[in-house]
C-alpha cells in the first residue's frame, strides 16, 4: 500500500529527523526496519532520502586541494626555526 | 609508510590510524623524521580544513602553521595514539576560532528541523549524482563551486561538523572529541548541516535554470 505523504504525520516527521542516522548506518536494527518499511510506502520520503544521499556523496567527493608550494615552504621554515630555537 | 593513494578514502583513513600509532611513538622519542612524516600526512588536510572554515588562503596558512607548531611542541604529551587525528583537528578548530575571535563553535540558537523541512509544493530540482556528473568540465566545475558555496554559507557551528564528518572523514566520536561536544550534538548538527546544504543546492541549481544531473 502506498501511503499518502504527510510531512506532519509522525511517520514522515520521525524519519525526516533521523535520515542522516539511516544514511550513516547508525540506526538500531528495529528502527532501521521501520524506516525501510516507511520508505517502501512513501515515495516522497524515498525521493528526499535519495536527494540527501546524493548531497552527502557530493560532499564526500569534494576534490582534495593541495597546499600551495609557497605556503608549504613558509610553514616548514617556521617549524625549522622552532626546532633551532629548542636546540638552543 | 604505506602508499595510501591506491585505497578508497575511507580505507585510507583506517590505515592511517594504524600507521599513526607507530608514528606517534617515534615522535615521542624525539624522531624528527617521524615528525616530518606527520607533516606530510596532514599538511594538505589541515590547509583544506582551514580554507573550508576560514575561507581565506592567508587564514588557512595560519591555521596550518599554528597547528603544526603546536604539534611540534606538544605531541610528546599525547598519551593515546588513537586520539592523534582528533587532537590535530581540535588544535586546528581552535586556531579557526581564534581567527573569528570567538571562544567556541556554539550557535546563537540551534536551527530547528521544522525550519529545514522541504516545501512540499515546490518542484524539486534533482541533486546531481556524483557518480554520473556531466562530461563537460564547465558543468562539473559549476556543480563543484555550488557545493563549495553551500558549505561556506553554513553557520560555523554547523559547517565545522559537516567539514569534519563529510569532508575530512572523521568518525562521530573523533569529531566529538575534536570539538569537545557530545556525540549526540555532532549527529544533530551534522543532520541539520546536510539539510541546509541540500536545500541550498536545490535552490542554486534551479536558479541556474539547469536541473542537476540530467542530460
Amino acid at each position: 500500500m502506498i501511503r499518502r505523504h504527510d510531512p506532519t504525520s509522525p511517520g514522515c516527521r520521525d524519519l525526516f529527523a533521523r535520515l542522516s542516522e539511516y544514511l550513516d548506518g547508525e540506526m538500531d536494527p528495529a528502527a532501521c526496519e521501520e524506516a525501510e518499511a516507511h520508505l517502501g510506502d512513501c515515495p516522497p520520503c524515498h525521493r528526499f532520502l535519495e536527494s540527501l544521499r546524493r548531497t552527502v556523496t557530493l560532499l564526500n567527493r569534494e576534490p582534495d586541494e593541495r597546499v600551495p608550494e609557497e605556503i608549504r615552504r613558509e610553514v616548514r621554515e617556521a617549524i625549522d626555526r622552532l626546532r633551532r630555537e629548542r636546540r638552543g | 609508510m604505506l602508499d595510501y593513494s591506491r585505497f578508497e578514502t575511507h580505507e585510507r583513513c583506517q590505515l592511517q590510524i594504524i600507521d599513526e600509532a607507530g608514528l606517534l611513538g617515534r615522535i615521542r622519542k624525539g624522531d624528527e623524521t617521524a615528525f616530518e612524516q606527520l607533516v606530510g600526512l596532514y599538511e594538505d588536510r589541515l590547509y583544506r580544513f582551514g580554507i573550508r572554515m576560514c575561507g581565506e588562503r592567508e587564514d588557512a596558512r595560519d591555521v596550518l602553521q599554528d597547528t603544526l607548531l603546536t604539534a611540534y611542541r606538544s605531541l610528546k604529551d599525547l598519551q593515546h595514539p588513537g586520539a592523534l587525528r582528533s587532537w590535530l583537528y581540535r588544535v586546528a578548530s581552535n586556531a579557526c576560532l581564534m581567527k573569528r575571535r570567538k571562544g567556541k563553535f556554539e550557535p546563537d540558537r540551534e536551527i530547528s528541523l521544522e525550519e529545514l523541512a522541504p516545501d512540499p509544493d515546490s518542484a524539486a530540482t534533482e541533486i546531481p549524482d556524483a557518480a554520473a556528473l556531466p562530461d563537460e568540465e564547465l558543468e562539473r566545475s559549476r556543480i563543484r563551486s555550488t557545493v563549495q558555496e553551500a558549505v561556506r554559507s553554513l553557520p560555523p557551528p554547523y559547517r565545522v561538523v559537516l567539514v569534519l564528518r563529510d569532508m575530512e572523514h572523521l568518525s562521530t566520536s573523533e569529531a566529538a572529541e575534536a570539538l569537545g561536544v557530545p556525540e549526540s550534538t555532532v549527529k544533530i548538527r551534522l543532520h541539520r548541516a546536510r539539510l541546509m546544504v541540500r536545500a541550498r543546492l536545490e535552490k542554486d541549481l534551479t536558479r541556474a535554470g539547469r536541473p542537476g544531473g540530467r542530460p
Side-chain angles (χ1 to χ4, degrees):
Chain A
M1 181 194 76
I2 304 291
R3 76 184 75 198
R4 186 171 167 272
H5 177 66
D6 178 0
T8 63
S9 79
C12 294
R13 203 176 56 230
D14 290 349
L15 182 61
F16 179 70
R18 302 188 70 185
L19 279 177
S20 282
E21 278 183 80
Y22 177 77
L23 279 177
D24 295 340
E26 291 178 343
M27 255 186 190
D28 62 79
C32 192
E33 204 175 307
E34 211 174 295
E36 283 173 354
H38 180 92
L39 287 164
D41 277 349
C42 186
C45 279
H46 188 267
R47 274 196 298 277
F48 190 85
L49 170 69
E50 280 312 301
S51 76
L52 192 62
R53 189 196 305 275
R54 287 183 174 195
T55 299
V56 175
T57 305
L58 283 170
L59 291 165
N60 287 168
R61 293 190 187 196
E62 258 292 284
D64 290 345
E65 188 172 340
R66 307 296 303 268
V67 184
E69 196 48 46
E70 66 197 74
I71 290 181
R72 191 191 305 275
R73 246 194 331 268
E74 285 170 21
V75 170
R76 283 167 189 260
E77 281 166 12
I79 295 171
D80 284 343
R81 277 197 298 276
L82 179 59
R83 192 176 275 139
R84 287 195 296 272
E85 277 169 26
R86 295 198 134 200
R87 286 180 190 155
Chain B
M1 298 289 286
L2 288 175
D3 172 14
Y4 295 112
S5 61
R6 59 193 174 97
F7 294 101
E8 292 295 324
T9 302
H10 173 72
E11 292 165 312
R12 219 184 294 164
C13 292
Q14 298 306 311
L15 289 165
Q16 273 186 233
I17 288 169
I18 296 165
D19 258 4
E20 283 168 7
L23 198 59
L24 182 60
R26 288 163 52 211
I27 290 172
R28 290 172 67 189
K29 288 176 185 164
D31 184 342
E32 296 283 355
T33 310
F35 188 80
E36 285 298 320
Q37 287 176 339
L38 181 79
V39 172
L41 268 180
Y42 274 97
E43 58 189 343
D44 289 333
R45 294 172 69 173
L46 292 171
Y47 176 76
R48 214 164 45 230
F49 177 76
I51 285 279
R52 285 169 175 157
M53 289 308 303
C54 304
E56 299 292 331
R57 183 179 140 131
E58 298 304 311
D59 288 345
R61 183 210 51 206
D62 292 344
V63 168
L64 170 62
Q65 183 166 303
D66 291 350
T67 302
L68 292 178
L69 291 179
T70 302
Y72 189 83
R73 291 186 190 101
S74 306
L75 261 184
K76 294 181 189 54
D77 304 324
L78 185 63
Q79 295 298 318
H80 301 292
L84 174 60
R85 206 149 63 128
S86 51
W87 186 90
L88 283 169
Y89 279 102
R90 178 189 284 248
V91 175
S93 298
N94 287 338
C96 293
L97 283 168
M98 293 300 291
K99 291 288 167 194
R100 298 176 61 233
R101 293 191 177 81
K102 290 239 177 176
K104 49 187 176 171
F105 282 113
E106 284 299 320
D108 294 331
R109 61 171 185 91
E110 290 288 355
I111 295 173
S112 72
L113 278 177
E114 282 67 33
E115 294 172 73
L116 300 171
D119 178 356
D121 296 325
S122 74
T125 290
E126 204 169 281
I127 303 296
D129 180 353
L133 289 181
D135 286 336
E136 313 88 46
E137 182 51 36
L138 196 61
E139 180 63 9
R140 294 164 76 96
S141 176
R142 185 182 75 88
I143 292 169
R144 269 204 305 272
S145 65
T146 306
V147 171
Q148 287 163 9
E149 188 49 43
V151 173
R152 267 197 289 273
S153 72
L154 291 172
Y158 298 92
R159 189 182 337 145
V160 70
V161 172
L162 183 111
V163 169
L164 287 177
R165 287 282 287 118
D166 285 343
M167 303 175 99
E168 299 300 325
H169 308 289
L170 268 67
S171 66
T172 300
S173 63
E174 285 173 331
E177 179 69 31
L179 296 174
V181 299
E183 290 188 24
S184 55
T185 301
V186 169
K187 289 183 184 184
I188 287 168
R189 290 190 189 160
L190 176 64
H191 185 47
R192 281 157 173 75
R194 286 172 171 175
L195 291 174
M196 285 189 266
V197 169
R198 193 210 69 88
R200 180 70 184 247
L201 292 183
E202 196 178 69
K203 186 175 78 139
D204 287 356
L205 292 173
T206 301
R207 189 194 299 151
R210 298 185 57 180
R214 295 188 201 152

